[in-house]
């Protein structure tokens, strides 16, 4: 008989064990190994990485036994004191000057722990690592998200290898959460409806994470389902989710800060466009304080940071314009619609683009790797008018990973011999090279064996789910070998990540797997979006190949990819493989996690690997850039992949000394740990965000909000005046002069420009000479910029000729105001109608 209602009954702990409740409700346990050991010792046979579930299943007799165990009670008390000390101590952030008093961090998903299933993939895992690292560094962040009553989805396979989805219900009372009884949020909807939400608190170390939940009695049946599933439902459903996240999230933060005393955020950081409506809500707040829409827009933009995580247009939420019109009415409705309009390049003006709105509402925008920053400038360059792609104000901060979460305890303890506190340090990692190779190799074998054990367990469960009797699964006992070169591949399964590139030549892959002297084994995991039939077909192709009796001991697909499986894979695999279609990988942090565990990377030069591959920390798969035929490109790149695995990766792994050690492999591992260690840490990433984005954004916000938002009023009025006057701004003539008869290295080029400013003054603009090397089409390559000074009715200045070869320059006029964050911020630029002064020929 099926139950008609489900809820969680929590255990009552003896007084001596009450400290367990304090440990459970702070998610620091998810990355603190000592706390995990305390939970494990409560009931080792029940421990599965979820302390709430553990305490719900442990018997009263066992709890009484522990309460009487003086040694356990003392260790529990010491662990609680350690947590309290961690929360109270000053960290890196507390030593900074001019840092934001508070930062609000918005994301639609968070991967904190598998026990809190509120994530689908890389965006959520990155958000979780960001919060954990902010806690470790003492950054006063408040996280905001939604609480999904069915999470993303649980994945299984049919007998034919087709992905199946199910959405098991999630009871918040069975999660490490606390309901904030004093906080309720509501949104006004059309037809006098209201969307209500309660707020759950997930305490992530020092960082509070507020999760909004629409499953409350005040809502009708449809609105109770707004927070049912992550990335589920149609356009109306997704729009309501994003309105609740952005608008409701700001309201939840205001209420939480008022009740808790947490500093009100000066900076709002939104990940992707999902939370973009937070900017609309902040405009509404400032409008209530008497600012015009344009003034409120400037007030909100100054303190807002927008991070784009996708280089794929299909990954951006876009809504029909008429749908937005239905939910946003009133005197500012047209302005709101304009913020998300794709009124640039070849955009579609009939849609409302959430990423476009997010960028227009933010003064600072960044991608998540150097290459992704460049791709984003190309994708969104039209938002900034006539500026060259390199001038588009989208920067980059390369992602990082939270080492205590992803690095095996054995590796952390080994590395700590040379680098104390290595998880937060950005220097000293070179000491890793001093570690004995034999110790590294021993630990690598332990982690590989642990992965083999976990893979067999999950594979057995999968085959039983597919309808196979346990008695028929004896062969699983021999699946994978802890002494064989192990390659990991785990990703979401959109087509551009090319899950099946390894299957391009099945016989070639089979030969690699079954090589009698240098065999390879591959562990694969990944989920396709429920609506992505193409992605499901790719999974089925892999599963069918892995089902074959001759190779199934060497290649496995493990369904229901989650954080626990991800940890086992990045820790246990010798090589992390990634073969996206370049340049469509924004960052790809799984390879970073593998590197910190002593793994090597085998990857297309995309995302983070494009900037940090050095030839000694792994292998780069050559890319067929410029080949237009996708089938031909896949053929070329798969051939390169097979060649690398066979003649390089496997060759180095199996080249052993008499002691059984692979010397060159271990040198590569040491080099990887020493050189990549400080770069791929999330502590480096969060420091970069604080220094390069949060602190400048807070400074801008303070400037623009001082004296009753006098700065916002001034900037809005100046922008309006400048935009109106800009059509009359021109560069009418340019002259240059070189003192010597012929230019040579060491010469100085003097440039003078005549400009027309119309109603603007010289203080409103900056006249610049842009100069440097030129290509065969006279395009400037990696140009430099110098400001020309006003000289009567002209602007002039000198340019050094400091290198030989083709040289060129141009002159431009851009707006100038002390409250602008970048020259290109307004998208206004004036260039000579017919550029003059270009010198032809070879300059020496």
């Amino acid at each position: 008989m099926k139950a008609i209602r489900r809820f969680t009954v929590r255990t009552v702990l003896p007084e001596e064990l009450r400290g367990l409740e304090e440990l459970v409700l702070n998610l620091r346990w998810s990355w603190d190994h000592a706390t995990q050991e305390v939970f494990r010792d409560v009931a080792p046979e029940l421990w599965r990485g979820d302390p709430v579930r553990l305490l719900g299943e442990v018997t009263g007799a066992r709890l009484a036994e522990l309460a009487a165990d003086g040694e356990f009670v003392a260790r529990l008390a010491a662990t609680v004191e350690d947590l309290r000390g961690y929360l109270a101590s000053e960290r890196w952030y507390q030593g900074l000057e001019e840092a934001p008093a508070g930062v609000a961090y918005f994301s639609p998903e968070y991967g904190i722990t598998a026990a809190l299933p509120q994530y689908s993939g890389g965006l959520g895992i990155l958000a979780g690592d960001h919060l954990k690292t902010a806690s470790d560094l003492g950054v006063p962040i408040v996280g905001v998200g939604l609480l999904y009553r069915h999470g993303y989805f649980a994945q299984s396979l049919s007998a034919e290898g087709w992905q199946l989805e199910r959405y098991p219900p999630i009871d918040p009372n069975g999660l490490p959460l606390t309901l904030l009884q004093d906080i309720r949020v509501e949104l006004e909807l059309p037809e006098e409806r209201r969307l209500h939400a309660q707020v759950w608190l997930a305490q992530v170390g020092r960082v509070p994470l507020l999760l909004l939940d629409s499953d409350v009695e005040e809502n009708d049946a449809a609105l109770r389902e707004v927070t049912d599933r992550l990335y589920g439902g149609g356009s109306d459903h997704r729009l309501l989710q994003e309105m609740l996240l952005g608008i409701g999230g700001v309201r939840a933060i205001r209420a939480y800060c008022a009740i808790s005393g947490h500093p009100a955020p000066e900076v709002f950081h939104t990940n992707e466009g999902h939370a973009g409506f937070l900017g609309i809500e902040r405009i509404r707040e400032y409008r209530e304080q008497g600012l015009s829409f344009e003034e409120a827009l400037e007030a909100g933009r100054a303190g807002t940071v927008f991070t784009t995580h996708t280089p794929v247009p299909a990954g951006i939420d876009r809504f029909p314009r008429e749908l937005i019109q239905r939910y946003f009415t009133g005197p500012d409705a047209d302005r709101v619609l304009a913020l998300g309009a794709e009124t640039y390049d070849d955009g579609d003006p009939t849609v409302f683009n959430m990423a476009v709105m997010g960028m227009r509402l933010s003064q600072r925008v960044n991608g998540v790797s150097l290459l992704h920053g460049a791709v984003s400038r190309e994708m969104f360059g039209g938002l900034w008018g006539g500026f060259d792609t390199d001038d588009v104000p989208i920067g980059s901060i390369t992602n990082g990973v939270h080492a205590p979460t992803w690095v095996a305890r054995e590796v952390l303890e080994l590395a700590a011999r040379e680098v104390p506190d290595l998880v937060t340090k950005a220097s000293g990692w070179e000491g890793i090279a001093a570690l004995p190779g034999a110790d590294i190799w021993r630990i690598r074998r332990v982690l590989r064996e642990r992965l083999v054990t976990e893979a067999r367990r999950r594979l057995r469960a999968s085959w039983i789910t597919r309808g196979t009797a346990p008695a028929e699964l004896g062969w699983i006992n021999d699946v994978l070998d802890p002494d064989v070169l192990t390659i990991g591949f785990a990703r979401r399964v959109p087509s551009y990540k090319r899950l099946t590139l390894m299957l391009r030549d099945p016989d070639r892959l089979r030969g690699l797997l079954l090589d009698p002297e240098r065999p390879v084994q591959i562990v694969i995991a990944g989920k396709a979006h429920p609506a992505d039939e193409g992605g499901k077909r790719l999974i089925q192709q892999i599963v069918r190949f892995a089902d074959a009796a001759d190779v199934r001991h060497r290649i496995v697909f493990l369904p229901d990819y989650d954080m626990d499986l991800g940890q086992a894979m990045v820790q246990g695999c010798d090589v992390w493989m990634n073969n996206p279609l370049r340049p469509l990988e924004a960052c790809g942090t799984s390879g970073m996690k593998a590197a910190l565990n002593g793994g090597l990377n085998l990857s297309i030069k995309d995302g983070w690997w494009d900037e940090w591959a050095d030839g000694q920390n792994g292998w780069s798969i050559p890319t067929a850039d410029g080949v237009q035929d996708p089938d031909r490109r896949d053929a070329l790149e798969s051939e390169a992949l097979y060649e690398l695995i066979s003649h390089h990766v496997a060759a180095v792994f199996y080249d052993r000394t008499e002691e059984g050690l692979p010397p060159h492999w271990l040198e590569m591992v040491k080099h990887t740990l020493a050189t990549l260690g400080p770069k791929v840490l999330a502590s480096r990433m969060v420091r970069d965000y604080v220094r390069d984005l949060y602190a400048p954004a807070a400074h801008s916000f303070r400037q623009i909000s001082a004296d009753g938002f006098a700065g916002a009023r001034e900037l809005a009025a100046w922008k309006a005046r400048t935009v109106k006057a800009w059509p009359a701004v021109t560069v009418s003539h340019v002259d240059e002069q070189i003192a010597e008869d012929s230019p040579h290295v060491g010469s100085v080029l003097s440039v003078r420009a005549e400009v027309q400013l119309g109603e603007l003054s010289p203080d409103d603009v900056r006249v610049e000479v842009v100069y440097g090397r030129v290509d065969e089409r006279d395009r400037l390559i990696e140009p430099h910029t110098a400001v020309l000074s006003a000289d009567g009715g002209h602007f002039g200045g000198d340019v050094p000729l400091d290198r030989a070869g083709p040289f060129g320059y141009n002159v431009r006029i851009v707006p100038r105001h002390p409250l602008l964050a970048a020259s290109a911020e307004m998208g206004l630029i004036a260039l000579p109608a017919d550029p003059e002064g270009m010198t032809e020929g070879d300059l020496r």
Side-chain angles (χ1 to χ4, degrees):
M1 181 181 296
K2 188 175 181 180
I4 62 171
R5 188 165 297 138
R6 173 194 179 100
F7 54 89
T8 300
V9 180
R10 292 196 175 187
T11 188
V12 177
L13 294 170
E15 186 63 34
E16 296 85 350
L17 304 182
R18 287 293 172 84
L20 288 171
E21 291 182 343
E22 189 172 341
L23 295 180
V24 166
L25 289 176
N26 192 304
L27 290 165
R28 186 200 181 213
W29 60 257
S30 68
W31 72 89
D32 185 70
H33 293 289
T35 308
Q36 293 171 13
E37 287 301 315
V38 170
F39 287 127
R40 186 188 309 276
D41 289 346
V42 169
E45 72 283 1
L46 297 177
W47 175 246
R48 295 291 183 271
D50 182 347
V52 178
R53 180 176 179 180
L54 172 77
L55 296 182
E57 295 179 355
V58 68
T59 64
R62 174 58 178 163
L63 292 176
E65 179 184 347
L66 289 170
D69 183 340
E71 182 178 341
F72 179 84
V73 170
R75 185 153 65 97
L76 171 60
T79 306
V80 170
E81 283 305 309
D82 181 71
L83 171 62
R84 292 172 180 172
Y86 168 86
L87 298 176
S89 62
E90 286 200 351
R91 316 297 266 185
W92 168 79
Y93 191 86
Q94 281 64 52
L96 299 180
E97 296 181 1
E98 300 297 319
V103 177
Y105 184 92
F106 286 68
S107 176
E109 52 173 305
Y110 289 90
I112 308 293
T113 166
L116 188 62
Q118 302 291 308
Y119 60 91
S120 73
L123 176 64
I125 301 303
L126 184 279
D129 281 9
H130 197 107
L131 295 196
K132 293 173 185 177
T133 306
S135 173
D136 290 340
L137 296 177
V139 183
I141 280 181
V142 179
V144 183
L146 301 180
L147 180 69
Y148 304 98
R149 291 300 182 113
H150 296 276
Y152 188 43
F153 68 87
Q155 178 196 46
S156 59
L157 300 174
S158 71
E160 295 76 27
W162 188 257
Q163 173 180 293
L164 304 175
E165 304 93 25
R166 59 187 176 87
Y167 294 85
I170 297 171
D171 180 4
N173 293 293
L175 300 175
L177 303 174
T178 301
L179 179 62
L180 299 178
Q181 301 281 0
D182 296 330
I183 299 179
R184 284 290 177 119
V185 169
E186 64 177 55
L187 273 66
E188 303 77 17
L189 302 179
E191 300 175 355
E192 299 185 353
R193 299 174 75 204
R194 289 181 177 271
L195 171 60
H196 300 265
Q198 59 189 359
V199 180
W200 298 84
L201 171 66
Q203 192 64 44
V204 186
R206 303 157 73 105
V207 172
L209 170 58
L210 309 180
L211 299 173
L212 280 65
D213 172 19
S214 70
D215 190 11
V216 296
E217 292 182 358
E218 295 93 328
N219 288 329
D220 59 36
L223 293 182
R224 292 186 73 154
E225 296 296 316
V226 165
T227 55
D228 59 347
R229 299 176 181 179
L230 176 59
Y231 303 142
S235 293
D236 286 78
H237 188 79
R238 289 287 292 276
L239 179 60
L240 284 171
Q241 283 190 340
E242 298 186 359
M243 289 174 62
L244 182 59
L245 175 61
I247 300 171
V250 172
R251 296 176 185 180
I253 280 183
R254 300 301 189 204
Y256 177 77
C257 290
I259 290 172
S260 68
H262 191 285
E266 294 181 291
V267 176
F268 285 75
H269 183 182
T270 176
N271 283 289
E272 277 302 345
H274 306 290
F277 289 121
L278 72 86
I280 304 301
E281 171 63 9
R282 295 179 67 211
I283 287 174
R284 184 197 64 79
E285 291 180 330
Y286 296 134
R287 293 281 273 138
E288 289 188 349
Q289 297 178 44
L291 273 63
S292 70
F293 185 91
E294 290 73 17
E295 294 164 349
L297 173 62
E298 298 304 333
R301 288 184 72 252
T304 302
V305 173
F306 181 92
T307 300
T308 174
H309 292 263
T310 176
V312 184
I316 296 170
D317 279 334
R318 301 163 80 232
F319 297 106
R321 178 184 172 91
E322 52 272 22
L323 178 61
I324 304 296
Q325 285 177 311
R326 194 157 72 236
Y327 284 93
F328 290 89
T329 59
D332 294 334
D334 288 343
R335 293 183 176 95
V336 171
L337 287 167
L339 288 170
E342 294 182 347
T343 52
Y344 66 94
D345 293 349
D346 57 351
D348 183 352
T350 68
V351 303
F352 187 92
N353 186 309
M354 293 294 290
V356 166
M357 177 185 68
M359 292 183 183
R360 284 176 172 149
L361 287 169
S362 306
Q363 198 174 49
R364 290 165 177 83
V365 182
N366 71 285
V368 291
S369 68
L370 279 175
L371 180 58
H372 179 230
V375 171
S376 298
R377 287 190 288 276
E378 189 74 38
M379 278 180 64
F380 298 105
L383 288 173
W384 285 275
F387 282 86
D388 290 344
T389 300
D390 289 343
D391 292 318
V392 170
I394 299 178
S396 64
I397 291 181
T398 303
N399 284 345
V401 298
H402 185 245
T405 295
W406 298 105
V407 180
R409 183 171 189 170
E410 293 88 345
V411 176
L412 291 174
E413 291 173 347
L414 179 65
R417 294 183 193 174
E418 301 296 331
V419 190
D421 195 27
L422 82 169
V423 298
T424 58
K425 281 192 173 180
S427 61
W429 277 75
E430 61 275 5
I432 295 292
L435 293 172
D439 287 347
I440 294 175
W441 191 240
R442 173 182 53 80
I443 289 175
R444 289 299 315 147
R445 210 263 182 199
V446 168
L447 299 180
R448 200 182 307 117
E449 185 170 32
R450 189 179 297 165
L451 172 60
V452 168
T453 300
E454 177 66 6
R456 290 173 181 173
R457 183 187 72 80
R458 287 179 177 256
L459 191 64
R460 185 180 304 276
S462 175
W463 275 92
I464 291 172
T465 300
R466 294 172 68 182
T468 304
E472 301 177 69
L473 298 176
W475 59 271
I476 289 181
N477 296 330
D478 297 318
V479 164
L480 305 182
D481 183 332
D483 291 310
V484 167
L485 170 62
T486 304
I487 297 176
F489 186 99
R491 288 287 185 274
R492 289 185 302 108
V493 192
S495 59
Y496 75 88
K497 291 184 181 285
R498 298 195 294 186
L499 169 68
T500 55
L501 187 69
M502 68 183 82
L503 274 181
R504 177 77 190 190
D505 186 340
D507 290 336
R508 189 79 179 272
L509 177 60
R510 185 174 281 105
L512 293 173
L513 298 172
L514 303 179
D515 188 295
E517 296 182 358
R518 300 190 305 210
V520 171
Q521 59 193 14
I522 306 177
V523 181
I524 306 168
K527 293 180 176 181
H529 188 280
D532 184 2
E533 296 295 308
K536 293 180 184 181
R537 280 193 293 272
L538 297 179
I539 289 176
Q540 188 178 48
Q541 291 174 33
I542 283 285
V543 171
R544 285 178 170 173
F545 180 86
D547 282 353
D550 62 331
V551 297
R552 63 188 183 185
H553 65 300
R554 286 281 186 260
I555 182 169
V556 296
F557 179 88
L558 303 178
D560 212 19
Y561 182 41
D562 62 3
M563 287 186 70
D564 286 343
L565 177 55
Q567 285 175 324
M569 290 183 66
V570 298
Q571 292 173 9
C573 288
D574 302 295
V575 173
W576 197 260
M577 186 166 70
N578 188 25
N579 47 237
L581 192 65
R582 188 180 189 273
L584 301 182
E585 179 79 278
C587 187
T589 57
S590 296
M592 296 178 175
K593 299 162 190 168
L596 288 176
N597 280 288
L600 301 176
N601 277 268
L602 172 64
S603 178
I604 294 287
K605 290 194 73 175
D606 203 358
W608 75 274
W609 186 244
D610 181 70
E611 63 193 90
W612 287 336
D614 65 7
Q616 295 299 315
N617 50 19
W619 297 269
S620 296
I621 304 168
T623 56
D625 293 340
V627 175
Q628 299 301 313
D629 180 359
D631 190 63
R632 174 65 175 157
R633 180 167 182 169
D634 284 356
L636 291 170
E637 294 184 6
S638 64
E639 174 63 28
L641 175 63
Y642 298 137
E643 184 74 13
L644 276 172
I645 293 175
S646 176
H647 293 99
H648 297 271
V649 181
V652 175
F653 183 85
Y654 287 107
D655 179 22
R656 306 291 172 85
T657 64
E658 292 182 359
E659 294 79 17
L661 301 178
H664 183 44
W665 186 276
L666 288 171
E667 285 304 312
M668 292 180 72
V669 169
K670 289 183 179 183
H671 175 79
T672 296
L673 289 169
T675 59
L676 283 182
K679 295 177 182 177
V680 303
L681 291 179
S683 55
R684 185 273 311 154
M685 173 189 73
V686 172
R687 285 186 176 101
D688 286 349
Y689 271 103
V690 169
R691 292 168 174 153
D692 299 343
L693 294 176
Y694 294 168
H699 178 72
S700 294
F701 178 73
R702 291 166 188 164
Q703 281 188 304
I704 215 159
S705 60
D707 300 324
F709 291 96
R713 300 178 197 275
E714 177 197 339
L715 182 59
W718 177 85
K719 278 189 173 183
R721 179 170 60 86
T722 301
V723 168
K724 182 179 179 182
W726 200 258
V729 175
T730 60
V731 180
S732 55
H733 186 71
V734 178
D735 284 324
E736 85 276 349
Q737 183 177 0
I738 301 176
E740 293 82 357
D741 292 336
S742 63
H744 57 268
V745 174
S747 299
V748 174
L749 174 72
S750 296
V751 177
R752 284 172 59 84
E754 294 182 10
V755 304
Q756 306 299 321
L757 300 180
E759 296 181 3
L760 300 181
S761 74
D763 291 337
D764 293 322
V765 300
R766 186 162 62 241
V767 182
E768 301 172 335
V769 56
V770 185
Y771 63 94
R773 293 185 300 121
V774 293
D775 62 16
E776 66 281 357
R777 298 172 60 186
D778 290 340
R779 292 177 302 190
L780 289 164
I781 303 170
E782 298 178 353
H784 300 279
T785 302
V787 177
L788 300 181
S789 302
D791 180 15
H794 301 82
F795 286 78
D798 294 336
V799 173
L801 302 180
D802 55 3
R803 61 177 298 167
F807 175 89
Y809 76 91
N810 203 343
V811 173
R812 69 185 183 189
I813 308 173
V814 294
R816 177 175 64 178
H817 191 281
L819 294 177
L820 293 180
S823 298
E825 181 174 324
M826 296 174 64
L828 300 177
I829 185 171
L831 299 166
D834 181 17
E836 302 176 13
M838 184 69 70
T839 303
E840 302 289 346
D842 291 333
L843 303 185
R844 292 181 291 274

